[in-house]
Amino acid sequence: MSNQLSDRINSVTPSATLEMAAKARELRAEGKDIIGLSLGEPDFKVPDYIQEAAIQAVKDGYNSYTPVDGYVELKDAIITKLKRDNSLSYDRSQIVVSTGAKQALYNVAQVSLNKGDEVILPCPYWVSYSDIVKLADGVPVEVPTSIENDFKMTPEQLEAAITTKTKMLWYSSPCNPSGSIYSKDELRALADVLKKHPKIIVVSDEIYEHINYGVTSHASMAQFEDMYDRTVTVNGVAKAFAMTGWRIGYIGAPSYIARACNKLQGQVTSGANCIAQRAVITALLELPERIQYMVDEFKERRKLILELLNAIDGFQCNEPEGAFYVFPDISAYFGKTLNGTLINNASDFAMYLLEKANVATVTGDAFGNPKSIRISYAASEDNIREAISRIKSVL
């Protein structure tokens, strides 16, 4: 009965990360010992001081509908955080709180794109970017990058991708899935290209900002005076604070975009969860040093997983500077038959690892890079060791 559904939903690809996680759950239900390295979900508990703020909010009687664009106190905390951590100055009219950064991105696409507008996506990109753009009747324009260039788009590539239909550029830094970080100088070089095309809006997804291993300092496109009024800065608390299920994201944006997102959200979900918002006020007002212990642990896991993967023939890894993923090029296996299974592409490879090694990863096809797979190291050291051992044995 798919012909009874809209063309819009029929054109959408299911999220590959969620789909792989669902398959892993099915196999576990069948009794298989599946190690999940597919989801980008920290395995830490929410810091105590944030939990206590949520409990206090319950005790204080917060249970009513919230303002569509977020509590004033939370917007003020976001303004403080953006000034303190990113040297970005916003006022309340420029902040919108949403049910996760994913909704924030969806809102921006819906209020900014018309049919046929093109959105430049440096590859690899976060799995949902392309379909969020398509749902807004936009056209994703993929710009391939290479592992040799640390999966970062060059100014020349950006210039070549721009057409008369280009409306937006979307990117994440640190990048999901590659862990790459654009330096301030690299962003400035991209901004110099965009100066020649003043109508292009930039969406800077910075949700992994604090998961940074100290090689390249975090930088925001909006820090440049000539880009501030055309940049939407997207962030949230899911990754750095281990609050994936609390579903709080936000934007700092030009006022006209923020107002439009507020208008749209008022007809879709209204305001985000009241208890989660109160807890996030505390999360953002505390200094980032309070969550550094998680970053330090991820750094150790990064070292471990790179050592283990680099010992497997056919895996080519860059060294991620942030986030908690590795994105190895595994194209050396394409065209080979492993234990009776022909590997044609990254999707075949990821499914082979799930079925033969009982390890869940995600195909790079979902991120716009057909040569790689994404492996999350937001898992225990024991699980990482066991998972990579299994992978090595079936290869």
Side-chain angles (χ1 to χ4, degrees), residues 197-238:
H197 307 276
K199 293 184 178 180
I200 296 176
I201 299 167
V202 176
V203 173
S204 175
D205 182 348
E206 303 181 17
I207 198 163
Y208 290 93
E209 166 194 7
H210 292 307
I211 306 176
N212 183 317
Y213 303 123
V215 179
T216 300
S217 298
H218 181 77
S220 301
M221 183 68 82
Q223 71 188 299
F224 302 123
E225 186 176 348
D226 56 344
M227 294 302 300
Y228 176 83
D229 287 331
R230 41 193 294 214
T231 298
V232 179
T233 303
V234 181
N235 213 321
V237 296

Side-chain angles (χ1 to χ4, degrees), residues 373-394:
I373 60 170
R374 191 190 77 172
I375 304 174
S376 168
Y377 52 91
S380 70
E381 181 178 316
D382 287 344
N383 275 347
I384 290 171
R385 288 187 183 278
E386 175 62 19
I388 306 308
S389 175
R390 292 181 186 183
I391 290 172
K392 188 173 183 178
S393 70
V394 300

Side-chain angles (χ1 to χ4, degrees), residues 45 57 63 79 99 113 133 159 163 171 196 251 269 372 391:
K45 71 180 184 70
N63 61 356
I79 290 167
T99 304
L113 296 174
V133 168
E159 183 70 74
T163 73
Y171 72 93
K196 297 180 282 185
I251 61 169
T269 59
S372 301
I391 290 172

Side-chain angles (χ1 to χ4, degrees), residues 157-312:
Q157 286 179 303
L158 173 60
E159 183 70 74
I162 293 173
T163 73
T164 56
K165 295 182 179 180
T166 303
K167 183 68 176 288
M168 305 180 89
L169 161 66
W170 285 29
Y171 72 93
S172 61
S173 180
C175 175
N176 176 3
S178 69
S180 304
I181 297 176
Y182 284 94
S183 69
K184 184 176 181 179
D185 288 344
E186 288 169 334
L187 289 180
R188 181 63 259 176
L190 297 177
D192 287 341
V193 173
L194 295 169
K195 275 201 308 186
K196 297 180 282 185
H197 307 276
K199 293 184 178 180
I200 296 176
I201 299 167
V202 176
V203 173
S204 175
D205 182 348
E206 303 181 17
I207 198 163
Y208 290 93
E209 166 194 7
H210 292 307
I211 306 176
N212 183 317
Y213 303 123
V215 179
T216 300
S217 298
H218 181 77
S220 301
M221 183 68 82
Q223 71 188 299
F224 302 123
E225 186 176 348
D226 56 344
M227 294 302 300
Y228 176 83
D229 287 331
R230 41 193 294 214
T231 298
V232 179
T233 303
V234 181
N235 213 321
V237 296
K239 310 302 183 178
F241 297 90
M243 297 176 70
T244 52
W246 297 61
R247 310 308 304 133
I248 298 293
Y250 56 87
I251 61 169
S255 295
Y256 75 97
I257 292 179
R259 286 195 302 270
C261 289
N262 185 29
K263 180 180 179 182
L264 173 67
Q265 192 163 292
Q267 295 290 7
V268 181
T269 59
S270 296
N273 178 280
C274 59
I275 303 303
Q277 285 199 55
R278 303 310 300 186
V280 172
I281 294 170
T282 295
L284 295 183
L285 289 180
E286 292 288 333
L287 293 176
E289 286 76 12
R290 293 204 69 174
I291 55 173
Q292 185 61 38
Y293 67 94
M294 289 189 267
V295 180
D296 293 341
E297 178 62 28
F298 285 135
K299 187 174 183 179
E300 289 300 311
R301 295 176 186 179
R302 178 190 65 157
K303 179 182 177 182
L304 171 64
I305 200 168
L306 285 174
E307 288 176 354
L308 296 173
L309 288 176
N310 285 331
I312 302 176

